Amino acid sequence: MTHPENPSTFDTVLVANRGEIAVRVIRSARAHGYRTVAVYSDADAGAPHVALADDAVRLGPAPAADSYLDVDAVIAAARTGGAQAIHPGYGFLAENARFARAVADAGLVFIGPTPDAIDLMGDKAAAKRRMADAGVPLLPGYQGTDQSDETLLAEADRIGLPLMVKAAAGGGGKGMRLVTDATDLRDALAAARREATSAFGDDTLILERALLHPRHVEIQVLADTHGNVVALGERDCSVQRRHQKVVEEAPSPAIDAVTRAAMQQAAVTAAADIGYVGAGTVEFLLDVERRDGDHQAFAFLEMNTRLQVEHPVTELVTGIDLVEWQLRVARGEALAFGQDDITLDGHAIEVRLYAEDPSNGYLPQTGTVEAWQPPTGAGIRVDAGIAAGQQVTAHYDPMLAKVIAHGRDRDEARRRLADALDRLVCLGVTTNRTFLARVLRHPVFAEGGATTSFLTDHDVTGVDLDPRDVAAVAGWRQLAATADAERRSPGLAGWTNATWLVDSRPLRVGADDRVVSLQATVDGIVVTVDDQRVLVTGTPDALRVEGRPVHLTVHRPGGDRLLVHLPHVDLDVSDPTGLPPGADDAAGAGVLVAPMHGAVTAVAATVGQQVEAGSQVVVMEAMKMEHVIRADVAGTLVEVVDVGDQVGVGAVVARIDPADTDG
């Protein structure tokens, strides 16, 4: 923790972040009497965190490198806003030791650990060497300074497979590759280096024996400037995709009291050994199949020298506001509680709402949030940084919000959270909302058995579109149109001198076209979808399908497009006959298109070169993650984008002439 000469004098805090964490820190700071200053890029000028703060200062253009990652701009913003302290949140500059030093050099308080602690634990190789000296258990691995391919390949052979390749400066799953086949190692090294350079500006790698079915369990620590360190229990973060956490809970359903005590002691040892100050997290891998003496076997993974995304579950089970204590420690206060005072009350589970498409490889999504209605109720907490009308861009991480539930026990928390997700309305951009609910309701998760391989072992990404859902939307459209006509021409809506007519029309639901037939009868509207007849009755505000109430929320963004929320699915519905010419042109047969907005980071072939079906052609980066675009046919590359190009979703990035490659 860095302080000016009299730390107790700071009364204004600049929050050097955006989105939900900026909103969360601003709210806690204001609740404890601090004036707050927000910062923003051009893309975030109308964001909720800007409106919530007492003051706001522009940093620069939308790209993070020109705004949120600009150290000089952030410090200048603190001076402009009259802030004497800076809270970095998580991500961006939160674990940047150069930033922490610059804050101190400017005579400001950095609400976080010392630059030396950030430096040490931010370098995974150095951190593992230090933890080994401190007696904290580790997995076999390589953390050396020789970064040649020859040395890494030799060390990989010594460690054995399966192997994890990691960026030494990494975090959040970036710069990580799992290798289970030795022939994939060179490509994994190259990809991890490239992603690490892009995300952290440092391509140093470490190698580590991979546990294929571990639990990811982490300990929250809190330390003051007086030498006191406490552990606030554990969080289980085992449900992950691409090494990024999806579901977090406290306490872990997988560890016993003896293991909890041993893991907490290891975390306190780690924090005390480096003179840590503030809130931090020591992460471990738990081997559920092995014991080490009287406790379950675990090994140090890394330490995050900042507030974690998942900190709310710890707050809910301990009753301790971590942001409040970050501020109090920054003022030089001693912790008001010891280890024996920490008790865990009930259970809490958090999920991360992302703008991504789980059914399409978790590709990040962009667009406008047309409707946003967070759930409320007993035990429900929503930390969000979005609002209706806000643009979700490719410039930043795709996380939109966190939804957390607390209950008397794990099952109550799980049920509450699944129900909250059913009620959460976020329309206009594809999210993982229903995917998260399916994870929570999966029997393996419900029984507490999910490991880090859960999403690999159990496919919960897709959902079949039920004809009754399409019928509900089609019936709603018809009832809404009739109601509109009735308002315009009372008594004449739906009038005809003919018999009951059948109205057949195309309906586009997502990417699927359906032919839907509607027939008005004395009983209601009979909707036929995929040869299934469904009776729709009621009103647009009280819809019934086959006699059962259907709770749907409909938003009309314009034209004939409908955005529909149902508890188990979100639908984007339109009339394809109203689409502009060419809108149905499909990629394929040698035409490769960008699956999202992003930047081209690598091109694996040149024009005129022969490529094989399935071979890598273009690598794109969006929202800090890499995505590989592969050839769908064998042939000659006749067109390809350049490295550094910014491309939009659906843009052609390469064309392949599928002529005989032997020709």
Side-chain angles (χ1 to χ4, degrees), residues 295-437:
H295 61 76
Q296 295 161 287
F298 60 87
F300 173 81
L301 182 61
E302 64 182 359
M303 183 174 187
N304 290 301
T305 54
R306 53 171 167 79
L307 196 67
Q308 288 282 88
V309 175
E310 57 272 20
H311 74 273
V313 295
T314 296
E315 294 182 324
L316 289 174
V317 297
T318 63
I320 295 172
D321 184 328
L322 289 170
V323 174
E324 174 192 351
W325 274 101
Q326 285 185 300
L327 294 167
R328 293 176 69 169
V329 168
R331 298 180 72 94
E333 292 187 37
L335 297 181
F337 41 81
Q339 191 63 61
D340 293 341
D341 299 315
I342 307 300
T343 58
L344 305 182
D345 174 29
H347 201 96
I349 307 177
E350 171 185 296
V351 292
R352 304 182 183 193
L353 184 73
Y354 278 99
E356 67 180 14
D357 186 356
S359 66
N360 189 21
Y362 300 99
L363 285 178
Q365 303 293 299
T366 58
T368 302
V369 178
E370 299 284 356
W372 168 248
Q373 297 173 20
T376 59
I380 300 301
R381 167 176 166 177
V382 178
D383 287 9
I386 59 170
Q390 188 173 344
Q391 289 287 327
V392 178
T393 73
H395 294 292
Y396 314 117
D397 187 273
M399 191 174 74
L400 304 177
K402 302 178 309 199
V403 187
I404 314 103
H406 181 256
R408 293 168 299 175
D409 55 33
R410 184 176 187 269
D411 206 48
E412 182 174 74
R414 183 187 65 83
R415 293 193 309 269
R416 280 179 168 173
L417 186 53
D419 175 69
L421 288 169
D422 288 348
R423 293 183 285 113
L424 183 149
V425 177
C426 185
L427 298 173
V429 61
T430 301
T431 75
N432 63 341
R433 176 185 70 86
T434 58
F435 158 79
L436 294 170

Side-chain angles (χ1 to χ4, degrees), residues 59-108:
L59 292 176
D66 300 325
S67 51
Y68 296 105
L69 292 174
D70 187 332
V71 171
D72 293 337
V74 171
I75 292 176
R79 296 194 186 285
T80 299
Q84 304 95 11
I86 296 179
H87 193 302
Y90 57 72
F92 292 133
L93 296 171
E95 293 177 285
N96 186 310
R98 184 174 73 86
F99 176 59
R101 289 191 179 94
V103 171
D105 291 344
L108 305 173

Side-chain angles (χ1 to χ4, degrees), residues 26 66 95 109 151 279 284 297 303 317 366 394 468 503 535 576 596:
I26 290 169
D66 300 325
E95 293 177 285
V109 177
T151 295
F284 299 95
M303 183 174 187
V317 297
T366 58
R468 288 170 297 185
D503 178 13
L535 179 65
M596 71 304 217

Side-chain angles (χ1 to χ4, degrees), residues 228-311:
N228 302 307
V229 185
V230 297
L232 304 181
E234 82 281 1
R235 296 185 289 257
D236 194 307
C237 309
S238 297
V239 179
Q240 304 178 4
R241 57 106 176 100
R242 293 178 179 168
H243 311 296
Q244 288 194 328
K245 301 163 188 173
V246 175
V247 183
E248 302 103 349
E249 57 183 307
S252 169
I255 70 173
D256 53 42
V258 175
T259 302
R260 175 177 295 114
M263 198 175 281
Q264 287 194 144
Q265 184 56 56
V268 169
T269 296
D273 183 71
I274 64 169
Y276 194 80
V277 175
T281 299
V282 184
E283 302 193 346
F284 299 95
L285 288 180
L286 176 72
D287 189 341
V288 295
E289 301 173 352
R290 191 167 60 88
R291 295 191 74 83
D292 184 3
D294 60 349
H295 61 76
Q296 295 161 287
F298 60 87
F300 173 81
L301 182 61
E302 64 182 359
M303 183 174 187
N304 290 301
T305 54
R306 53 171 167 79
L307 196 67
Q308 288 282 88
V309 175
E310 57 272 20
H311 74 273

